[in-house]
């Protein structure tokens, strides 16, 4: 018994120390706060009962402030409460009934809006200037993350026209597109957007935060009556007026029309949820009229005038048959689960992602265990928990690359392992697959299966070999399953890749961190492929979204001999595309200029930014001497003054729309 407890304490100390280290050094902690806290609590309790087993290196033995604190602690002016939860419509009916019992007014109305799966934040403004941003923490005390919010999260205004002291609250999140982009660019396996947003917000380096492109939704104002706001509807209008990002999808409905509220929820879950740009995990229902709030009251954890209806995730149990790893083109390791096939949301699932070893450890799983899997908003199913322990212990960390047997290295910045063998066949294959893929060189006839076969036969060892396949023509045609027709199709595909767009070619090189959007921006900068060697750090830095990490990766790539050889080889065989400067489809107005966008237009901010960037312009968040023009939409007053001060040209909403109309 005692040896088991000793062992347990040892494991907990090891885990928590590792998490503490990650928290301080890394970009994304591998576990949620909830998991961290529960493990720490378990350790503290065991140590209390068995003080003879307290280890010297136990995280509880460190003197000083709280274990995880690198930001200043701030006491919230008002508690940041949570919401009570409803799991079905009966729970909701009970909620409506309780609210009604307090005031017996049939005309009361409810605001219904999505529940964002992000991290809550509280923002303080004085004289119209954002002065402090604090995380929720335990609801009473949070962390001051102003440096990671102010002028970093673009949709949080730093200057507003409302000058009274103001405190607003909302949620920080990473959009689905951005999350996928980050995973792709960093070639990492982050568990989900929420975890990544949470890790990102606690970064010490605000450049990393900026690069990750976080977003916000504001949905609460502290002490509404001070601002003459008496209903949730007015609250939304206030947020809109002062340029906050607000939830525009909502319903306001009378108590007696409860069915409309239920319909809204059903419709949202079934038809809207998957198409939103952000993850939601339910629907929030709040009494619209605030004058009743005090009467209805609060528990110690949540107000009774609001409730969160949680969507039910489809969860199923199955057996974990095996755990295996795959290696990406940059060498990053991903852990995967092989499952006993099971039906989930209409498809048969036999594999699921386990991200990285930390995740396996956190779940405490091993082969033969019964696990719970889910497929929610995500396309790839994931293992969410251990449901029945049927094995001993936790699956052992895989220490060598299954393809080349070289030892895997723990990376410093991510929760990942890597294969760093330059000659690893799997990495070489993945590089070729990336090169030929859609969005890159788009060589039809050279998909993953064929690349693997050609590698095995020795026809392809590296990217250059794609253009030297002619010498294997006979062998290829004579191979079973290939033949003349296959060969013709393959050669057509390879030939058409000579006409590839410059941005596709840059992307095809597979430079770590460099996604297709950055590739487009670089293409617009260098104009011709052979100019890639002349790209300076300054000119890279002037591109929005490209930060120091990407620049380091770029420099690392461009100085390696094998990469220099590849680029020179491509140029020598005339794969040297140019950005066409004939601007039949271009909007010349945007080309080469830097813009700041403020206020709202008929198209979304993202769309407008995209149009500008596609047309060779840049968008930046702040007005400076470098800004060529301010695009001023509705309610975008805050930046106007600064533009005037810096003598920056102001283009009105109408003018922007005319430019877009005549050019599209
Ligand atoms: S209203 C008293 N509205 O969910 C708190 N909260 O589980 C009133 N959340 O702490 C919050 N979307 O962080 C509200 N549309 C929304 C929300 C929302 C997400 C978060 C918020 C809250 C948590 C409760």
């Amino acid at each position: 018994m005692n040896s088991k407890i000793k062992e347990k304490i040892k494991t907990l100390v090891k885990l928590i120390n590792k998490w503490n280290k990650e928290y301080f050094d890394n970009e994304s902690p591998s576990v949620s706060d909830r998991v961290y806290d529960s493990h720490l609590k378990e350790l503290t309790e065991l140590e209390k009962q068995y003080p003879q087993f307290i280890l010297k290196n136990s995280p509880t033995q460190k003197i000083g402030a709280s274990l995880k604190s690198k930001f200043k602690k701030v006491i919230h002016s008002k508690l940041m409460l949570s919401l009570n939860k409803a799991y079905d419509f009966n729970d909701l009916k009970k909620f409506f009934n309780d609210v009604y019992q307090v005031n017996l007014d049939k005309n009361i109305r409810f605001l219904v809006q999505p529940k964002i799966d992000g991290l809550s934040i509280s923002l303080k403004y004085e004289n119209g200037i954002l002065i402090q941003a604090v995380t929720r923490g335990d609801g009473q005390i949070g962390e001051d993350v102003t440096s990671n919010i102010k002028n970093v999260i673009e949709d949080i205004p730093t200057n507003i026209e409302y000058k009274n002291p103001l405190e607003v609250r909302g949620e920080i999140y990473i959009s689905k597109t951005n999350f996928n982009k980050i995973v792709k660019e960093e070639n990492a396996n982050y568990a989900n957007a929420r975890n990544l947003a949470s890790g990102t917000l606690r970064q010490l380096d605000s450049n990393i935060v900026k690069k990750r492109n976080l977003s916000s939704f504001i949905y609460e104002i502290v002490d509404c009556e001070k601002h003459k706001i008496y209903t949730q509807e007015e609250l939304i209008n206030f947020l809109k007026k002062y340029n906050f990002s607000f939830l525009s999808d909502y319903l306001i409905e009378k108590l007696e029309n409860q069915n409309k509220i239920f319909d809204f929820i059903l419709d949202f879950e079934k038809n809207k949820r998957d198409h939103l740009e952000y993850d939601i995990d339910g629907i929030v229902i709040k009494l619209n009229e605030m004058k009743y709030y005090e009467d209805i009251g609060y528990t110690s954890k949540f107000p009774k005038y609001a409730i969160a209806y949680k969507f039910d995730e489809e969860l199923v149990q199955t057996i974990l048959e095996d755990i295996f790893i795959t290696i990406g083109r940059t060498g990053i390791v991903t852990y995967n689960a092989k499952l006993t096939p099971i039906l989930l949301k209409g498809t048969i699932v036999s594999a699921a992602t386990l991200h990285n070893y930390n995740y396996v450890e956190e779940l405490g799983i091993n082969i033969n265990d019964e696990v719970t899997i889910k497929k929610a908003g995500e396309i790839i199913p994931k293992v969410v928990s251990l449901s029945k322990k049927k094995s001993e212990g936790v699956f052992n960390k895989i220490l060598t690359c299954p393809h080349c047997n070289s030892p895997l290295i723990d990376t410093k910045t991510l929760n990942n392992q890597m294969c760093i063998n330059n000659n690893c066949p799997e990495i070489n294959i993945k590089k070729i697959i990336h090169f030929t893929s859609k969005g890159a060189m788009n060589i039809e006839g050279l998909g993953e299966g064929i690349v693997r076969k050609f590698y095995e036969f020795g026809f392809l060892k590296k990217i250059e070999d794609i253009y030297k396949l002619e010498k294997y023509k006979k062998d290829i045609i004579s191979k079973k399953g290939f033949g003349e027709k296959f060969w013709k199709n393959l050669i057509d595909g390879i030939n058409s890749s000579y006409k590839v767009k410059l941005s596709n070619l840059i992307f095809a090189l597979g430079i770590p961190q460099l996604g297709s959007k950055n590739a487009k921006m670089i293409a617009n900068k260098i104009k011709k492929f052979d100019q890639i060697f002349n790209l300076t750090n300054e000119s890279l830095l002037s591109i929005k979204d490209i930060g120091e990490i990407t620049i380091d990766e770029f420099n690392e790539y461009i100085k390696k001999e094998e990469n220099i050889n590849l680029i020179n080889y491509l140029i020598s065989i005339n794969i040297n595309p140019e950005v066409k400067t004939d601007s039949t489809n271009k909007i010349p107005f945007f080309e080469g200029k830097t813009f700041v966008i403020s206020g709202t237009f008929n198209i979304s901010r993202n769309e407008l930014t995209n149009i500008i960037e596609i047309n060779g312009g840049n968008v930046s968040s702040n007005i400076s001497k470098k800004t060529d023009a301010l695009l001023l939409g509705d309610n975008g007053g805050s930046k106007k003054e600064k533009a005037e001060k810096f003598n920056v040209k102001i283009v009105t909403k109408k003018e922007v729309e005319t430019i877009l109309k005549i050019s599209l």
Side-chain angles (χ1 to χ4, degrees):
M1 175 71 188
N2 268 1
S3 74
K4 269 209 167 137
I5 286 163
K6 219 169 147 179
E7 209 38 48
K8 177 92 204 168
I9 289 184
K10 206 170 138 197
T11 312
L12 285 168
V13 166
K14 207 172 133 203
L15 265 180
I16 297 168
N17 278 343
K18 184 166 80 87
W19 292 336
N20 275 341
K21 190 167 162 333
E22 276 168 15
Y23 185 81
F24 282 101
D25 303 344
N26 293 356
E27 294 179 25
S28 169
S30 57
V31 291
S32 62
D33 282 1
R34 196 171 46 81
V35 172
Y36 177 95
D37 290 342
S38 70
H39 281 73
L40 184 61
K41 196 165 158 221
E42 192 181 352
L43 175 65
T44 320
E45 270 159 22
L46 281 175
E47 287 179 340
K48 222 196 266 162
Q49 275 183 54
Y50 304 92
Q52 70 272 33
F53 296 147
I54 296 180
L55 293 169
K56 255 205 211 107
N57 66 338
S58 167
T60 58
Q61 302 305 298
K62 288 202 184 110
I63 309 161
S66 133
L67 293 163
K68 300 202 294 174
S69 63
K70 51 187 178 183
F71 291 102
K72 200 177 83 191
K73 300 274 175 188
V74 175
I75 302 175
H76 291 297
S77 62
K78 263 211 167 144
L79 279 181
M80 273 181 98
L81 295 173
S82 174
L83 288 169
N84 195 8
K85 301 200 171 39
Y87 294 97
D88 53 38
F89 288 168
N90 272 337
D91 290 346
L92 285 187
K93 283 183 187 152
K94 190 172 172 316
F95 162 74
F96 288 132
N97 203 36
D98 288 349
V99 172
Y100 174 66
Q101 287 308 319
V102 175
N103 52 60
L104 296 175
D105 174 1
K106 274 243 175 224
N107 284 321
I108 51 170
R109 295 180 306 159
F110 289 88
L111 172 96
V112 190
Q113 65 185 182
K115 180 170 183 306
I116 316 300
D117 195 10
L119 313 136
S120 17
I121 192 90
S122 192
L123 308 168
K124 264 192 193 159
Y125 289 81
E126 260 170 32
N127 285 320
I129 296 167
L130 174 62
I131 55 152
Q132 195 177 52
V134 183
T135 62
R136 173 198 164 91
D138 62 1
Q140 204 169 7
I141 298 174
E143 288 178 318
D144 184 331
V145 289
T146 316
S147 59
N148 280 343
I149 299 275
K150 193 171 175 175
N151 296 326
V152 175
I153 300 192
E154 291 210 14
D155 66 11
I156 294 185
T158 21
N159 264 294
I160 53 172
E161 277 181 357
Y162 187 78
K163 303 295 173 200
N164 295 335
L166 175 73
E167 184 170 350
V168 300
R169 290 175 176 177
E171 208 82 353
I172 305 288
Y173 68 95
I174 291 187
S175 73
K176 289 182 190 166
T177 314
N178 250 319
F179 178 71
N180 292 332
K181 196 180 120 199
I182 294 166
V183 168
K184 203 167 156 200
E185 283 183 4
E186 298 187 10
N187 209 341
N189 31 29
Y190 297 117
N192 56 49
R194 195 186 176 282
N195 263 16
L196 181 62
S198 135
T200 305
L201 210 55
R202 282 137 155 192
Q203 274 300 303
L204 284 179
D205 177 358
S206 62
N207 283 321
I208 296 176
V209 188
K210 196 159 198 159
K211 194 168 171 290
R212 297 253 170 96
N213 247 323
L214 305 185
S215 313
S216 73
F217 277 120
I218 305 300
Y219 45 70
E220 230 196 319
I221 294 179
V222 177
D223 292 334
C224 279
E225 67 288 0
K226 278 194 190 148
H227 310 290
K228 304 202 164 50
I229 297 168
Y230 303 104
T231 65
Q232 290 288 342
E233 206 169 9
E234 288 166 16
L235 189 152
I236 290 181
N237 288 330
F238 181 98
L239 295 172
K240 198 168 174 177
K241 182 166 173 201
Y242 293 108
N243 262 332
F244 289 101
S245 215
F246 62 97
L247 284 158
S248 52
D249 259 315
Y250 63 88
L251 169 83
I252 292 194
E253 198 50 68
K254 277 194 189 166
L255 174 72
E256 55 187 15
N257 297 331
Q258 270 171 50
N259 282 339
K260 288 204 177 144
I261 296 180
F262 298 149
D263 286 346
F264 179 90
I265 295 175
L266 291 172
D267 178 55
F268 224 90
E269 177 163 20
K270 189 155 169 263
N271 305 317
K272 299 229 170 73
R273 178 184 193 188
D274 289 345
H275 302 290
L276 296 174
E277 250 308 287
Y278 41 90
D279 288 321
I280 66 172
D281 56 351
I283 298 282
V284 181
I285 298 153
K286 312 171 193 179
L287 178 61
N288 188 41
E289 284 80 16
M290 297 177 178
K291 63 180 175 204
Y292 301 122
Y293 284 7
E294 289 310 310
D295 284 347
I296 297 169
Y298 300 80
T299 71
S300 64
K301 291 208 181 75
F302 47 78
K304 291 200 247 178
Y305 55 77
I307 196 160
Y309 173 87
K310 296 277 277 184
F311 292 145
D312 58 327
E313 311 287 358
E314 195 178 330
L315 300 172
V316 291
Q317 274 79 40
T318 186
I319 299 295
L320 177 62
E321 291 185 352
D322 196 9
I323 293 180
F324 62 99
I325 59 171
T326 45
I327 312 279
R329 93 185 122 84
T330 56
I332 295 271
V333 171
T334 301
Y335 281 73
N336 305 279
K338 180 174 181 288
L339 306 164
T340 303
I342 189 152
L343 195 67
L344 176 61
K345 285 207 165 182
T347 45
I348 293 185
V349 173
S350 56
T353 179
L354 287 167
H355 310 291
N356 48 42
Y357 188 69
N358 290 314
Y359 193 73
V360 174
E361 225 177 4
E362 181 186 335
L363 296 176
I365 51 174
N366 205 345
I367 294 167
N368 286 329
D369 284 345
E370 188 186 278
V371 291
T372 300
I373 59 171
K374 88 163 180 189
K375 194 166 157 193
E378 310 96 69
I379 302 159
I380 308 166
K382 71 189 269 177
V383 176
V384 287
S385 60
L386 167 69
S387 52
K388 222 178 258 153
K389 193 79 196 156
K390 293 189 167 176
S391 70
E392 287 284 302
V394 178
F395 182 77
N396 280 335
K397 191 169 183 173
I398 297 176
L399 300 173
T400 53
C401 172
H403 304 282
C404 69
N405 265 329
S406 44
L408 298 171
I409 307 297
D410 284 312
T411 59
K412 209 171 75 222
T413 47
L414 308 164
N415 304 314
N416 285 325
Q417 296 167 271
M418 264 184 113
C419 171
I420 54 163
N421 171 13
N422 268 339
N423 295 316
C424 174
E426 182 64 10
I427 298 179
N428 289 337
I429 291 174
K430 287 273 168 68
K431 279 184 182 162
I432 304 175
I433 293 170
H434 174 74
F435 186 84
T436 63
S437 69
K438 234 176 160 181
M441 300 301 269
N442 196 13
I443 304 181
E444 271 178 40
L446 250 186
E448 169 157 3
I450 306 290
V451 172
R452 287 193 183 276
K453 281 226 165 77
F454 279 18
Y455 195 90
E456 191 186 309
F457 298 148
F459 303 157
L460 279 181
K461 282 266 168 263
K462 50 185 183 174
I463 291 171
E464 286 94 316
D465 299 339
I466 295 171
Y467 298 95
K468 299 174 184 168
L469 280 173
E470 194 69 46
K471 64 178 177 219
Y472 298 109
K473 180 174 173 181
K474 259 208 192 125
D475 300 276
I476 292 173
I477 291 179
S478 66
K479 281 240 182 283
K480 225 176 131 193
F482 290 142
E484 291 277 355
K485 207 170 153 204
F486 166 82
W487 174 258
K488 188 176 175 304
N489 186 26
L490 174 66
I491 290 301
D492 284 351
I494 293 174
N495 284 344
S496 67
S497 78
Y498 281 80
K499 293 182 290 252
V500 74
K501 280 204 311 214
L502 176 54
S503 54
N504 285 46
L505 176 54
I506 296 172
F507 176 63
L509 296 177
I511 303 170
Q513 299 276 331
L514 219 143
S516 54
K517 194 172 162 208
N518 283 341
K520 267 187 207 144
M521 310 290 274
I522 290 180
N524 276 328
K525 270 263 140 83
I526 62 175
K527 302 279 193 253
K528 194 167 183 192
F529 188 52
D530 52 18
Q531 294 305 307
I532 196 161
F533 292 116
N534 299 331
L535 204 48
T536 60
N537 285 358
E538 289 75 53
S539 115
L540 278 170
L541 253 183
S542 70
I543 301 175
K544 182 184 171 260
D545 277 358
I546 293 194
E548 265 146 42
I549 301 174
T550 315
I551 297 182
D552 285 350
E553 292 284 4
F554 179 84
N555 289 333
E556 191 66 22
Y557 179 93
I558 207 84
K559 72 171 190 236
K560 271 202 191 131
E561 195 179 328
E562 53 176 289
N563 300 327
I564 299 175
N565 289 343
L566 167 64
I567 294 173
N568 280 332
Y569 174 76
L570 292 170
I571 296 169
S572 79
I573 59 165
N574 250 329
I575 299 187
N576 190 9
E578 269 180 84
V579 173
K580 301 228 168 43
T581 30
D582 97 51
S583 44
T584 30
N585 292 319
K586 287 251 166 187
I587 308 178
F589 178 77
F590 296 123
E591 192 154 2
K593 292 190 199 134
T594 300
F595 298 92
V596 171
I597 305 175
S598 180
T600 54
F601 294 84
N602 287 344
I603 54 175
S604 77
R605 200 187 177 87
N606 271 348
E607 276 175 288
L608 184 55
T609 307
N610 263 342
I611 294 177
I612 295 173
E613 288 173 352
I614 287 166
N615 288 288
N618 268 320
V619 176
S620 110
S621 48
N622 280 311
I623 295 190
S624 70
K625 283 187 211 129
K626 277 205 265 174
T627 315
D628 289 293
L630 168 70
L631 308 182
L632 186 64
D634 289 337
N635 302 317
S638 58
K639 296 234 159 82
K640 197 170 157 216
E641 234 169 80
K642 206 163 172 196
E644 283 164 353
K645 198 171 117 202
F646 281 104
N647 235 339
V648 168
K649 183 174 168 177
I650 295 177
V651 184
T652 64
K653 179 179 170 192
K654 233 182 162 163
E655 287 168 330
V656 172
E657 268 145 25
T658 316
I659 293 165
L660 295 180
K661 241 178 243 146
I662 49 175
S663 316
L664 289 178

